[in-house]
Amino acid sequence: MIDDEYFLAALRLAAGNDPIPSHVSAAARDVYGLRVPHARTADHVECAAMGMSSAGSGTRDDDGSHVMRFVTTGLTFDVEVSVDDGLIDVAGQVAPYPGEGTLVDVKTPHLTLTTRITHNGQFAATGLPPGWVSVVCHRPGHKPVQTGWVRVRP
């Protein structure tokens, strides 16, 4: 009887006799490795218009770029993502200007590009593989601030 099979499977799980599949454990380790220790996460917010583009948050501009805004106490990230020849280009601005020595990581699950921001808080990274992207701001003397992960498709 099917109900008996489910009941027995539930009992095995509760008793610890049904191991977690290795691919599930491996995926959990991979995701855990993407975290930024002690980082604050900036929340995605809707925005009608932004200085970088005429597109609203979560919309595509005429050139196919995607503009998003992330906000946390004291910092705002405006991030514009576009796809060119199957690769992702990310350009953005951190406001207010976080100061000298600030670095920005543009992260994918397999690659991190690190750049210094300009005197007006702008940054860019090009040639990233399609998929998941996050931006992390490292300010001297402060905890890192990161955006949530966003999936970008070609």
Side-chain angles (χ1 to χ4, degrees):
M1 191 173 220
I2 293 177
D3 291 331
D4 290 342
E5 290 175 20
Y6 286 120
F7 179 70
L8 291 173
L11 287 175
R12 282 194 304 275
L13 281 171
N17 292 332
D18 199 4
I20 297 172
S22 61
H23 72 279
V24 172
S25 295
R29 282 190 298 277
D30 290 345
V31 169
Y32 185 75
L34 295 175
R35 80 194 194 308
V36 178
H38 310 293
R40 292 183 317 178
T41 301
D43 296 319
H44 180 252
V45 297
E46 295 299 321
C47 182
M50 295 183 211
M52 291 174 33
S53 170
S54 61
S57 179
T59 62
R60 291 204 181 272
D61 203 350
D62 292 339
D63 65 358
S65 62
H66 188 78
V67 181
M68 297 159 285
R69 176 169 280 174
F70 299 87
V71 177
T72 189
T73 305
L75 282 183
T76 298
F77 293 78
D78 287 332
V79 180
E80 186 168 0
V81 180
S82 59
V83 179
D84 186 29
D85 289 331
L87 296 175
I88 299 171
D89 296 333
V90 177
Q93 184 172 12
V94 180
Y97 174 65
E100 285 294 319
T102 297
L103 298 175
V104 170
D105 293 338
V106 179
K107 299 177 64 130
T108 73
H110 307 289
L111 175 69
T112 299
L113 297 178
T114 302
T115 184
R116 290 195 182 278
I117 63 169
T118 64
H119 67 280
N120 57 1
Q122 294 180 342
F123 62 91
T126 60
L128 299 165
W132 293 96
V133 176
S134 177
V135 176
V136 183
C137 180
H138 300 275
R139 301 173 292 165
H142 294 85
K143 290 182 178 182
V145 178
Q146 71 182 60
T147 68
W149 286 87
V150 178
R151 188 168 186 187
V152 180
R153 297 178 185 171

